[in-house]
Amino acid sequence: MKKIYLMLPLLLGAVISLAQENQSVLTFDEIMSGEDYIGKSPSKAFWAKDSKTIYFYWNKENNAFESLYKVDTKSKQYSKVTPEEEKHLPSAYGSWNSDQTKKVYIKNHNLFVYDFKKGVQKQITNTLENKSNVKFLDDNTKIAYKQGNNIFIWDEKTGITNQVTNIVRGNSPKTPTTSPQNTFLEEQQKELFEIVRRREERKEAVEQHNELTSIQPKEKIYLNGQYLSDIVVSNDANYAVFSLGKSAGNYATEMPVWVEGTGYVKMQNARPKVGSPEDTFKSFVYDVNKDTVYTIDLSQLSGTQDTPKYFENYPERDSSLLNQTRKVVMHPPHFSPHNNYAVADVRAYDNKDRWLIKINLQDGSFEEIDRQHDDAWIGGPGISGWNFWIEPIGWINENTLWYQSEKTGYSHLYTYNVETKETKAITSGNFEIHKTEVSKDKKFFYLTSNKENSSEVHFYKVGINGGEMVKITKAVGHHNITLSPDEKYIADIYSYSNKPEELYIQANKPNAEWVKVTKSTTEAFDQYEWRVPNVVTFKAKDGKDVHARLYKPEENKDQHKAVIFVHGAGYLQNAHNWWSVYYREYMFHNMLVDNGYTVLDIDYRASAGYGREWRTGIYRHMGGLDLSDHVDGAKYLVEQQGVDKNRIGIYGGSYGGFITLMAMFNESETFKAGAAIRSVTDWAHYNHPYTSNILNTPALDPEAFKISSPIYFAEGLKGDLLILHGMVDDNVQFQDVVRLSQRLIELKKENWNMALYPIEPHGFKETTSWIDEYKRIFNLFQEKL
């Protein structure tokens, strides 16, 4: 077939047809319409209590909303759930009683209990206020929940709801003070006048009588200008642990909304910038029976006085910043089933330390179970990557809990016995545990892991004390498993490189029959023979193996030109054998290959899936090893894939846009053209949770921000750069590219263009915007490569 090179005008909505041998033709209008073209996949599977029915959400008809479907495990046939049936179904979330015959959950702001023996749903409350933290207490006849700022307990036997805590707004009343002068005058009145004495005596008598005959309310706990951050009650309802937050103020940036209904420009609050002051928190134990509050003094944690290692880079630093008590925050504790052991996760604000502590509920003291320290930042699968995200921790029995740690360099599963103080590693090796669940009989862990290799995720079973990990799933790809209540079956939402997610059913054992339930892809999508990219490795300059997806054209179409795609999010994996979250880009890569391009999609330094060293490889220098990995990828394309070194382009969005800018500014001999989408141009203007982990803060580590921000390197631009950005992006804000464009203007750079999208946020919403954006990117590469 004759090779065709298309130079196309940028007419919005025009169809670009790219001829492909022996199969259907791809168009921008189709592939940029996303799931409307692909089809909508099933999601959020959950089981009925009897383990005979799987429920899942699915927008099969491409409506405005997802519908609820159900599938019978015997027939494997699905049907849509009627609104009336859905209204009376128990929620997929909630809390079970000890023998799992009843479930309590929240629906439409109210509490419901579903009795599975009777098949009856009972409504407990009927109020408009939001509720949360609902659970059965020890004796299974009482249910605790949070409403407003307080904990309430509903007693099934009496039908009475009791308020456990009395946390109120306002300030603690001040104890009145009387001056010596006034004291003298008051005493003189009682000494001289009998009527004054008699009135005082009657008043005291009434107060004593009222105290003896009335139920005294709980002592008020005043917020004193703070707010309730969280509160949880112990399983015997004798203690509540809560945290109070103090606002640091509003440091949100303002963002203009340019196109909206009124015809005016509307200002909207967006996120604060990195380094802005953060709210602070204090934690407490409330003894219900004693009506007494104890402070949990977290300043006693080990390491809170340590100076961060990066301070060594600033020998002239003000000594007042050294050895300061580092701020920490405690997450809500996890209570053991009956013994009331309370274990909490505590994080340093700089996220370089994580502590597990056991709280003494009698006085608020605690002992450390584990301290995890990282000179970069704490993170990894099964471990929250920011100090305010809730971590997964659970109890196996009364004395033993499980948690995950990267202490070996990979996130693995550990148990800790609070009585013997023994820590045990359940898994180990150069792989990661993603998700953990304990079996009903407490004899096994069910795990999701990339143990097989970094490009596959499977479901495993391992003994509660460790041993061999037995793989349950078989097909290469990604398995998102929901276990049936009786643990005999798994609902498996599975995908492969060129196959979007579908629902499968399998018995919970290796090599069992694996039955596909749904088919979500459209006829149009199925007509094209979507490629399975090869997952390859190449050597980085420091000798490390870098994983990547490689898309190769047929020999008769190979034009010896290449595009490198940079995935976003930093900590995300895209070189794998399952359906990519970048599905539009995946389809665009197929289109590029049809036109003679080789495409390389790299899991650069900081990508997920490869352990702690890879995860933290960009610490204090974004645009360092992550950029050189792409330069080494270009070298791999030239030396091993026959690509012309003068015909390599690069593109990506968000973090991918940032790397594209760094590549175009710092590696102009390698990359001839680049398209930077929704790009961070200066990390000092990005958000705090993500940026402070990697670069610390601009005030404390200015060097890290300067060497990591493209705006400082704009003078290096030589190739052709296309910048694309939504004007209502409240994540990477429009200001980023405005500031960069001014820098390029002042540097008198001419080989750059900018396309702006007036109604688009960080992730584009409108198909017409996607079409326009990727036409421009395609034309850039066609013209310059």
Side-chain angles (χ1 to χ4, degrees), residues 60 70 81 167 216 221 234 241 266 369 392 417 467 624 649 720:
K60 186 174 184 291
K70 63 182 178 181
V81 177
I167 299 174
Q216 295 301 309
I221 302 171
S234 62
V241 179
K266 180 178 72 175
I369 291 173
N417 188 299
D720 291 274

Side-chain angles (χ1 to χ4, degrees), residues 138 235-236 336-342 361 397-399 419:
D138 273 348
N235 294 323
D236 61 4
S336 62
H338 300 291
N339 287 349
N340 256 357
Y341 291 126
L361 298 174
N397 53 45
E398 296 302 326
N399 308 317
E419 292 188 350

Side-chain angles (χ1 to χ4, degrees), residues 36-37 44 77 109 133 135 158 161 229 231 263 327 337 391 422 438 490 529 596-597 616 661 702 774 784:
D36 290 339
Y37 168 63
K44 296 175 285 191
Q77 300 299 309
H109 307 305
N133 297 6
K135 69 175 182 178
T158 65
T161 299
S229 172
I231 184 169
K327 291 190 294 185
E391 75 303 324
E422 177 187 8
V438 180
I490 56 176
E529 190 176 338
Y597 292 85
T616 61
L661 292 176
Y774 274 80
K784 304 303 179 182

